Amino acid sequence: MTYIIGLTGGIGSGKTTIANLFAELGVPLIDADVVARQVVQKGSPLLSQIVAHFGREILTATGELNRSALREKVFNSESEKNWLNNLLHPAIRREMLVQLQVQTAPYVLFVVPLLIENNLTKLCDRVLVVDVLPDTQLDRASQRDNNKRQLIQQIINTQVSRNERLKVADDVINNDGDFAQTESELRQKVLELHQYYLQLSEKKNG
Ligand code: ATP
């Protein structure tokens, strides 16, 4: 069985940035955000169920899921949000497990923003946290998405706190420094962890 590293971190912490450095070393990624899009792709049974529940107005003209229309539908309703989460979460989890089962690499990165919140750490052999200060999260996420800092703060408040996340971490990569200055340091850290994870996976399977 492939060794599983859960990679997590708060909004805007740099999970994708760090995951891509591992991918450059040939490590397969199973990314919850990517899987979340795959399970509701055009023509999928899940998308049909969502349309049956919310109506065709949550589709674009070409039959894809219109995410902002769906967000509006659930924005003010806990019960609709729960209905959607109860449909999506098990499907995302199932699909991630399917993708995991076909892996032959020594280890994979499970990139999951809400790994701790959704209790998915139990699927992982080890947890790697990308850690930044809340101010860095606010700066980077608001710049990237052109969102107000207040909205990003609201999202941060729904996620586990930095301390709680660090308590669960087996390994931590700090990503506060500006990438232009810290790139070679980050690459070195990723390479060290990569070698360590290869050793651990050998132990597990050896
Ligand atoms: P989310 O969970 O919000 O999708 P994430 O944790 O995957 O985010 P990234 O998308 O990797 O985070 O990074 C958030 C933003 O910050 C991106 O615009 C990215 O280019 C930028 N960023 C990430 N790391 C650094 C860094 N070290 N220096 C400067 N910018 C960075």
Side-chain angles (χ1 to χ4, degrees):
M1 177 71 165
T2 301
Y3 199 78
I4 305 170
I5 307 293
L7 188 155
T8 193
I11 180 172
S13 56
K15 294 176 290 295
T16 308
T17 306
I18 298 298
N20 287 340
L21 298 181
F22 279 94
E24 284 179 30
L25 299 173
V27 179
L29 308 181
I30 300 177
D31 183 323
D33 287 343
V34 173
V35 174
R37 283 193 291 274
Q38 289 169 342
V39 295
V40 292
Q41 68 200 1
K42 189 174 171 177
S44 63
L46 231 55
L47 186 55
S48 305
Q49 280 177 266
I50 297 172
V51 171
H53 187 83
F54 290 108
R56 297 194 66 79
E57 59 264 36
I58 58 101
L59 292 178
T60 64
T62 54
E64 316 271 342
L65 178 62
N66 181 338
R67 287 175 179 278
S68 61
L70 181 61
R71 247 194 317 271
E72 248 168 61
K73 292 271 186 196
V74 301
F75 184 67
N76 273 322
S77 166
E78 271 313 297
S79 63
E80 296 292 33
K81 206 180 293 173
N82 287 338
W83 182 88
L84 187 64
N85 284 340
N86 288 337
L87 182 74
L88 291 180
H89 286 180
I92 294 169
R93 191 190 158 104
R94 259 196 315 274
E95 177 59 25
M96 288 180 88
L97 291 174
V98 166
Q99 294 190 11
L100 191 66
Q101 269 153 17
V102 299
Q103 291 299 332
T104 52
Y107 78 93
V108 299
L109 276 193
F110 233 39
V111 187
V112 186
L114 299 178
L115 187 81
I116 299 166
E117 292 83 345
N118 290 341
N119 205 17
L120 294 171
T121 50
K122 59 175 187 280
L123 296 177
C124 304
D125 292 293
R126 217 171 159 83
V127 175
L128 168 59
V129 164
V130 181
D131 178 51
V132 291
L133 292 164
D135 262 350
T136 310
Q137 285 182 274
L138 286 168
D139 289 346
R140 290 187 185 153
S142 57
Q143 257 177 25
R144 180 195 55 192
D145 304 337
N146 202 12
N147 267 327
K148 293 215 163 58
R149 289 169 73 89
Q150 197 190 353
L151 178 67
I152 305 299
Q153 184 63 56
Q154 280 171 7
I155 295 172
I156 291 175
N157 294 345
T158 67
Q159 302 186 337
V160 293
S161 70
R162 185 178 177 210
N163 272 344
E164 284 172 88
R165 200 178 282 114
L166 287 173
K167 260 191 236 158
V168 178
D170 296 295
D171 308 299
V172 178
I173 294 184
N174 183 276
N175 187 33
D176 271 310
D178 193 55
F179 196 76
Q181 269 91 54
T182 56
E183 180 178 353
S184 62
E185 218 175 289
L186 287 175
R187 283 185 187 280
Q188 181 58 30
K189 175 86 184 173
V190 166
L191 187 61
E192 282 166 18
L193 285 173
H194 176 61
Q195 279 155 355
Y196 184 45
Y197 294 156
L198 287 175
Q199 278 173 20
L200 290 175
S201 70
E202 211 167 292
K203 256 190 214 153
K204 183 182 176 187
N205 296 311

